């Protein structure tokens, strides 16, 4: 290998590492949500009487990353090995940019290799029904509603 090609080789490796770094840090929620799921409106309504149940679920299974208040500052999220940090669910502008279907799909399937978010849908360790996940989507929406009032 000539001297020049070693330099070129190092430059190429540098570029690859650079690009991967950019790709990883800019990745957040899944962007591979099938179109028909993405545009699906939430088929359920979260009743007053159900709020406490989902509050407990969120506290027990989500808050370590998403924070009790939904701001994304859970203790696990602060851990340095989580490259993709949880979004701020109280940010009304951000949440308005996410469809119900996108939130649903992320909870259903988890983050895959994109982030630390576990899957909760059928077939996962949690095995939540789709109905339960749609209710959780409605619950997650409450964080932004509360902050915009
Ligand atoms: C181990 C950490 C972790 C746990 C536990 C976790 N999440 Fe996540 N979650 C993430 C990360 C990281 C993301 C990707 C960044 C983002 O979009 O918020 C994410 C994304 C999401 C999204 C998509 C938000 C968006 O930007 O579109 C929703 C909705 C969500 N999580 C809900 C939940 C719910 C509900 C639970 C509990 C049942 C939960 N998460 C548990 C880490 C976690």
């Amino acid at each position: 290998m000539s001297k020049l090609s070693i330099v070129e080789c190092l430059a190429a490796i540098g570029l690859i590492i650079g690009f991967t770094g950019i790709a990883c840090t800019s990745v957040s929620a899944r962007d591979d949500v099938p179109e028909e799921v993405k545009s699906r409106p939430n088929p359920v309504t979260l009743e007053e009487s159900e709020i406490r149940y989902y509050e407990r679920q969120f506290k027990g299974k989500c808050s370590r990353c998403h924070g009790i208040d939904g701001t994304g500052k859970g203790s696990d999220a602060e851990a340095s090995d989580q490259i993709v940090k949880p979004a701020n669910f109280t940010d009304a502008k951000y949440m308005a940019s996410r469809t119900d279907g996108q939130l649903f799909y992320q909870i259903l399937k988890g983050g895959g290799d994109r982030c630390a978010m576990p899957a909760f849908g059928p077939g996962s360790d949690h095995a939540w029904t789709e109905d339960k996940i749609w209710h959780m989507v409605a619950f997650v929406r409450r964080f932004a509603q509360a902050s915009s009032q």
Side-chain angles (χ1 to χ4, degrees), residues 29 61-62 65-66 84-85 87 94 98 106 117 120 136:
K61 305 202 168 73
C62 323
C65 295
H66 290 283
V84 176
K85 303 288 181 194
Y94 173 72
R98 312 297 296 162
Q106 176 93 24
M117 165 98 190
F120 285 85
M136 186 49 100

Side-chain angles (χ1 to χ4, degrees), residues 30-107:
R30 302 179 74 109
D31 63 356
D32 60 347
V33 184
E35 206 45 54
E36 76 275 9
V37 178
K38 193 172 169 179
S39 56
R40 201 181 297 166
N42 197 335
V44 307
T45 313
L46 186 66
E47 305 295 339
E48 272 306 304
S49 58
E50 296 169 322
I51 293 173
R52 275 190 63 83
Y53 173 78
Y54 285 94
E55 215 165 48
R56 279 201 303 274
Q57 292 292 311
F58 192 85
K59 200 171 162 191
K61 305 202 168 73
C62 323
S63 66
R64 68 184 170 94
C65 295
H66 290 283
I68 288 243
D69 58 359
T71 52
K73 300 207 186 319
S75 52
D76 274 22
E78 303 284 286
S80 53
D81 61 341
Q82 267 198 38
I83 298 168
V84 176
K85 303 288 181 194
N88 180 357
F89 292 158
T90 69
D91 180 342
K93 199 163 159 224
Y94 173 72
M95 290 309 278
S97 76
R98 312 297 296 162
T99 68
D100 285 343
Q102 283 174 313
L103 303 183
F104 169 80
Y105 198 76
Q106 176 93 24
I107 304 172

